[in-house]
Amino acid sequence: MGKPDSGQRNTEGHIPAADPASAAAPAHADGVPGDRVPARRVPAPVAAARRVGFLVTLVLGGLNALPPLSMDMYLPALPAVTRSLGSPAATVQLTLTACLAGMALGQLVVGPMSDKWGRRRPLLVGMIVYVAATAICALAPTAEMLIGFRLLQGLAGAAGIVIARAVVRDLYDGADMARFFSTLMLISGVAPIIAPLIGGQVLRITDWRGIFVVLTAVGIVLTLVVAKWLHETLPREKRHSGGVGEALHTMRGLLADRVFTGYMLTGGLAFATLFAYISASPFVVQEIYGASPQTFSLLFGVNSIGLITLGQINGKVLVGRVSLDKALGFGLSVITIAATGLLLMTSGAFGKVGLLPVAAGLFVLMSAMGLVMPNTNALALLRTPHAAGSASALIGTAAFLIGAIASPLVGIAGEQTAVPMAVVQLACALGALGCFLGLCRPWQRRAEAV
């Protein structure tokens, strides 16, 4: 990214955010917020910020890619970690849970901080701590120590997740925001494809500790890129001046919004469906079906391609033609059907089933996430232009906490059955669909607007 001209920044070096008057949720032709969005005039400062922000888009994609890198590169090594540290599979799976819980709790802190102090400073501090915690993970002598520093790694890595969403809300609105989230999915979606492949190849030349060495190097590079190219997007005059009390008051107000809470829980439960797959699939594919780490990595990459493809169809084809709620509802329905099929296959309802049908069911489930994830984020953030950091924190915290609860449940019956994975996935999918229908009630909002 070349240096922008002086007219594109204010005197403090901030990328100008959208004018408050333009931050209201755009309407469908019938006046429904967050539905099909007509073209609108983009304010000149925002348009300028977007033009100079191509590399910022890549940076935000990198920040969104950090969680799947931290999780997925490590997945092929889970059985090896179990053997190396002499711990049961359920204990080693807690290293995933700890990282996920850290990312959930960290967002509750970093989100309000970014509303008060801006996006840049909390992000840089978080990235530095992430690098240090990841390096220590590579040296952990016990499973308990690994769990502890994975928790710290997640707490620090939360800064990238929550602030990336807040930056998008600073600069985009309505259908543009949904499209941008789909673009971020394209960039960050590469991570789940290459992460297990990299992890599998690292295991060919070293042990599981080498994976954390690679993650440390990735963290260092991303920290340097953030320091150089990600400029402030929240001007001083738009920041909150209050402390913890105001942050809690803001979050209470957000949670009191039934529709926002509905989208938050819908996204969180859908993410838990995804994370049940992430947590259980190394054991399901490798231990139950006898696949190699490289085969598992290949299947994981194919599933990630499906997610990216549906995400791009959502952003390039559906947004602006089909309401965000309709696309979201269709995606949730597909996930529920896929989870039902997986439970029937893994429980023996169709007799003994091989790896291929189960892999096909997981592919459908993962792909449908491309319709769910960007649209839940956009629909929830459309209602919160006044507190993007706090709203982003609540969205992320719900997703990661519910995912952290789901993670250990998939291994509750041991390593020789995939039924718990399918049960957790179906329960979370039904919960997400129930929250969407019971709390968001998009048809009701459309009727009220007519």
Side-chain angles (χ1 to χ4, degrees):
M1 177 178 69
K3 291 183 179 180
D5 59 54
S6 57
Q8 293 168 340
R9 297 186 183 278
N10 61 24
T11 56
E12 294 180 351
H14 302 116
I15 297 177
D19 183 80
S22 69
H28 182 275
D30 60 7
V32 180
D35 212 336
R36 192 181 305 163
V37 184
R40 64 184 178 91
R41 185 180 301 277
V42 179
V46 177
R50 296 174 190 174
R51 283 196 300 271
V52 302
F54 174 71
L55 282 184
V56 172
T57 303
L58 297 181
V59 173
L60 295 178
L63 293 173
N64 273 291
L66 196 59
L69 279 176
S70 300
M71 297 285 184
D72 302 343
M73 193 182 297
Y74 176 63
L75 292 179
L78 282 177
V81 176
T82 300
R83 293 189 293 268
S84 173
L85 299 181
S87 299
T91 300
V92 173
Q93 282 177 325
L94 287 176
T95 62
L96 292 174
T97 302
C99 187
L100 199 64
M103 289 179 180
L105 298 175
Q107 291 183 68
L108 283 178
V109 177
V110 178
M113 285 173 58
S114 74
D115 282 338
K116 181 177 181 179
W117 291 314
R119 314 302 186 199
R120 182 176 162 84
R121 280 188 293 171
L123 177 57
L124 286 172
V125 171
M127 291 302 302
I128 291 170
V129 176
Y130 172 88
V131 169
T134 305
I136 296 174
C137 284
L139 306 174
T142 65
E144 291 73 19
M145 185 174 179
L146 182 60
I147 290 170
F149 279 96
R150 285 284 278 176
L151 176 65
L152 180 59
Q153 183 191 43
L155 287 168
I161 310 167
V162 68
I163 291 177
R165 275 195 304 264
V167 168
V168 174
R169 187 64 186 94
D170 290 341
L171 295 177
Y172 291 90
D173 192 33
D176 290 334
M177 182 164 52
R179 290 190 185 97
F180 195 86
F181 276 126
S182 293
T183 300
L184 287 187
M185 182 172 290
L186 173 62
I187 300 169
S188 61
V190 174
I193 298 174
I194 66 173
L197 297 174
I198 294 173
Q201 296 307 311
V202 169
L203 290 176
R204 285 179 173 270
I205 59 176
T206 183
D207 61 9
W208 61 270
R209 299 180 189 276
I211 292 175
F212 286 106
V213 173
V214 173
L215 285 172
T216 301
V218 170
I220 291 172
V221 171
L222 190 54
T223 302
L224 295 175
V225 170
V226 166
K228 181 173 178 60
W229 280 303
L230 188 62
H231 300 280
E232 187 58 68
T233 61
L234 187 66
R236 290 187 182 276
E237 62 271 16
K238 294 183 180 293
R239 299 178 191 177
H240 293 185
S241 58
V244 175
E246 182 178 337
L248 292 175
H249 177 74
T250 299
M251 288 185 175
R252 281 198 300 269
L254 292 171
L255 292 174
D257 180 349
R258 171 180 54 81
V259 178
F260 170 82
T261 300
Y263 287 123
M264 179 189 74
L265 292 176
T266 297
L269 288 163
F271 182 82
T273 304
L274 174 63
F275 197 76
Y277 159 73
I278 293 173
S279 182
S281 60
F283 296 97
V284 170
V285 174
Q286 296 179 74
E287 301 296 330
I288 296 177
Y289 291 99
S292 67
Q294 289 70 38
T295 299
F296 162 73
S297 300
L298 179 61
L299 291 175
F300 198 94
V302 169
N303 291 341
S304 299
I305 290 174
L307 186 151
I308 293 172
T309 301
L310 263 291
Q312 293 314 292
I313 291 174
N314 178 73
K316 306 297 184 184
V317 178
L318 299 181
V319 172
R321 295 180 175 88
V322 177
S323 78
L324 302 184
D325 280 308
K326 287 180 180 178
L328 173 57
F330 179 76
L332 291 171
S333 300
V334 172
I335 289 171
T336 304
I337 293 170
T340 302
L342 285 167
L343 179 57
L344 292 174
M345 286 188 285
T346 57
S347 63
F350 301 133
K352 187 176 182 180
V353 175
L355 176 59
L356 187 59
V358 173
L362 292 171
F363 173 79
V364 173
L365 186 146
M366 279 278 284
S367 298
M369 290 293 173
L371 296 177
V372 174
M373 294 167 66
N375 290 326
T376 50
N377 284 336
L379 285 163
L381 288 172
L382 273 171
R383 304 182 68 85
T384 61
H386 57 288
S390 295
S392 177
L394 288 173
I395 294 168
T397 297
F400 282 87
L401 276 182
I402 298 172
I405 293 170
S407 173
L409 297 179
V410 300
I412 199 169
E415 304 172 27
Q416 303 306 314
T417 175
V419 171
M421 176 191 75
V423 169
V424 171
Q425 287 177 326
L426 181 56
C428 291
L430 289 171
L433 191 59
C435 287
F436 175 65
L437 296 175
L439 295 176
C440 302
R441 305 175 195 170
W443 65 90
Q444 186 180 73
R445 302 202 312 278
R446 186 177 297 111
E448 291 172 351
V450 173

